[in-house]
Amino acid sequence: MTPESIANAIAAVVTSLGTLVGFASRRRRWRSEIRENLNLIEEINNNSLLKEHTPAVAWLAGKIAVDVAKLSGHPLGTPKKPIPWSNVVFSSILMVGFGYWTYALNGEEFVWYSIFPGVVSGLMLISAFGSFVNREIPPGGESELPDGAQPVRTGGASEEISRSVALRAVGEGDRYADDGQVGVAYSFVVCMKTGAFDDAAQLADANWLLCRIQAWLWNNRNHFGDDLERMATLADEMLQNRGDHNLWGEFASAEVDAFLEAWQNLDPETLGGASRRRIVARDYEVVVLAPVGDSGGYYVNSATIVPGALTFLMRRHEGRWVVASHLATAPPTPGFPPAWWVVGDPSVERLES
C-alpha cells in the first residue's frame, strides 16, 4: 500500500470515530441538560413570583419534553412518504445503461448524437434523486379552515409538544380531559352520533333532559292531549324513571333521530375544542367545538365565523361537568313548550301572541 492510501484509510477511521464520539457526547449533554432543567423547575416552584406570575415552568417543561423525545429517538417533525425503491432501482439501471452508452459513443472522439442517451441518463439521475426529496406529507385540511384562520402545525413537531406540555403545566389541559368541560361536550356528541342516547343523557344536566322530554310531549300533544298538568306529571315521571318508563324507549328513539338528522354531516373525529375559556356565570362555561379537518387545529386573531361550529353550555354540578344546553349560551327554561333561547324555534313561533 502506498503512503497516500494508508493516510486516506487512517483519515476515514478517525472521521468515523469523531462522528461517533460527537454523537455520544451530544447525548451526554442532553442528559445533563435535562437533569439541570428538572432541578431548575423545582427551584422555580419555590419562587412564588416566577411560579404564580409567569409561565416559566410551562416553558421549561415543554423544552424537557422535546429533549427527552430526541434522546429516546422518538421521531419528530412532519411525517414522510416511504422512499419508492422500485423507482430508484429502475431509474438507476437506466441511468447507468444510457450513461455507459454515452461513454461508449464518445470512446475515441465526441459525436453529436451521443447527446440523446446522455440526456436520458441525466433525466434518470434527476428522477432517482427526486425520490429522496420532498417526501413530507402535508397536514392537509387547511383548505377547510375558515377565513383568517392559521393552522397551529406551522411551528413544527417540537413546538407542538412544547405547547401541549405548557397547557398541562398551567392547568388548561384539564378542560380537555374526559371529565373536563371540552371532554364531556365531545363525549356527548359521540354518544349522540352513535345512537347511545342513555349515555348522552348521563352527561347532561337534569334540567336539559326535562326540557327535552317536555318538548317531545309538546310536539306530540295531538297524541298526549292538551292538558298541561297531565303532561307536566308525565314529564316528571319520565325524568325520574327514565329507562323503566314505558314511554322512554319511544322518546329516546325520537331524540336520536332528531340529533342524527341535525348532525348528519358532522364527523366527531374532525372536531377540536376552542382553547379560550368562556365563563358566563358561576359554574357555567361555554364550550365551542369546531371542525378542524386534518390541520391539527388552528388559531384566529380576530372575530371569525366558524362554519359547522357547535356551542355547548356546560354546568359544574355536584363536582362534575354536564351539558346544560346544546343550542344557546343560557340553560333552557322548563315549560310547555320549554324556552331554548334560540331565534326561530318553530314551537314558540306558532304560539298565540
Side-chain angles (χ1 to χ4, degrees):
M1 297 178 64
T2 64
E4 182 179 357
S5 61
I6 295 175
N8 291 335
I10 294 175
V13 172
V14 170
T15 301
S16 301
L17 290 176
T19 302
L20 180 61
V21 170
F23 179 73
S25 63
R26 184 166 65 250
R27 294 176 65 86
R28 284 196 298 270
R29 288 197 303 271
W30 277 342
R31 289 193 178 94
S32 177
E33 187 175 352
I34 290 171
R35 293 192 190 97
E36 292 175 359
N37 287 336
L38 288 173
N39 294 330
L40 184 57
I41 284 182
E42 295 181 2
E43 295 180 12
I44 294 176
N45 284 327
N46 295 328
N47 186 309
S48 58
L49 179 63
L50 290 175
K51 179 181 178 181
E52 298 177 6
H53 300 285
T54 71
V57 173
W59 295 335
L60 203 53
K63 185 179 187 310
I64 291 174
V66 174
D67 289 343
V68 171
K70 292 179 180 178
L71 183 63
S72 62
H74 186 80
L76 296 176
T78 306
K80 296 182 179 181
K81 303 180 204 175
I83 297 175
W85 287 109
S86 58
N87 179 67
V88 173
V89 172
F90 181 73
S91 299
S92 299
I93 292 174
L94 292 180
M95 177 189 67
V96 173
F98 281 93
Y100 180 78
W101 188 9
T102 303
Y103 172 78
L105 291 176
N106 295 283
E108 298 180 357
E109 61 178 5
F110 173 76
V111 292
W112 67 269
Y113 47 83
S114 65
I115 295 176
F116 298 108
V119 169
V120 175
S121 179
L123 292 175
M124 292 301 103
L125 174 62
I126 295 173
S127 176
F129 177 75
S131 300
F132 294 92
V133 298
N134 294 330
R135 294 187 294 115
E136 291 78 7
I137 300 175
E142 282 80 356
S143 59
E144 301 175 3
L145 302 185
D147 294 338
Q150 299 295 328
V152 299
R153 283 186 179 173
T154 55
S158 298
E159 184 177 332
E160 293 277 324
I161 296 175
S162 297
R163 179 177 177 275
S164 175
V165 173
L167 286 175
R168 286 289 180 180
V170 299
E172 287 294 315
D174 294 341
R175 299 175 63 243
Y176 296 87
D178 291 341
D179 57 351
Q181 303 92 303
V182 178
V184 171
Y186 179 79
S187 297
F188 178 85
V189 174
V190 172
C191 289
M192 284 299 189
K193 285 289 289 185
T194 57
F197 179 78
D198 287 352
D199 293 336
Q202 294 295 327
L203 300 173
D205 192 10
N207 178 72
W208 177 89
L209 186 56
L210 174 62
C211 291
R212 295 304 301 174
I213 295 173
Q214 290 177 338
W216 180 69
L217 293 174
W218 175 262
N219 293 332
N220 292 278
R221 60 188 180 277
N222 58 338
H223 175 73
F224 296 106
D226 294 329
D227 188 343
L228 298 186
E229 291 186 4
R230 179 177 178 276
M231 282 197 292
T233 301
L234 187 58
D236 291 337
E237 292 176 352
M238 292 179 63
L239 179 64
Q240 294 300 323
N241 299 323
R242 301 201 182 190
D244 294 331
H245 197 279
N246 61 334
L247 293 177
W248 182 263
E250 188 177 350
F251 162 69
S253 178
E255 287 292 282
V256 168
D257 291 342
F259 275 91
L260 289 179
E261 181 180 359
W263 293 347
Q264 59 182 332
N265 297 324
L266 181 67
D267 182 5
E269 295 294 329
T270 65
L271 292 179
S275 59
R276 185 170 70 86
R277 296 193 67 178
R278 295 168 171 84
I279 301 174
V280 294
R282 181 187 296 274
D283 295 329
Y284 282 94
E285 184 172 325
V286 172
V287 166
V288 178
L289 298 182
V292 298
D294 298 327
S295 67
Y298 57 86
Y299 65 89
V300 294
N301 295 320
S302 59
T304 302
I305 298 177
V306 182
L310 302 178
T311 300
F312 293 90
L313 178 66
M314 308 301 296
R315 180 193 179 195
R316 182 164 45 202
H317 179 62
E318 297 181 350
R320 71 186 189 100
W321 288 98
V322 292
V323 175
S325 177
H326 69 290
L327 292 174
T329 57
T333 302
F336 290 96
W340 293 98
W341 307 117
V342 293
V343 178
D345 187 341
S347 296
V348 176
E349 290 183 341
R350 284 194 293 265
L351 293 176
E352 296 181 3
S353 57

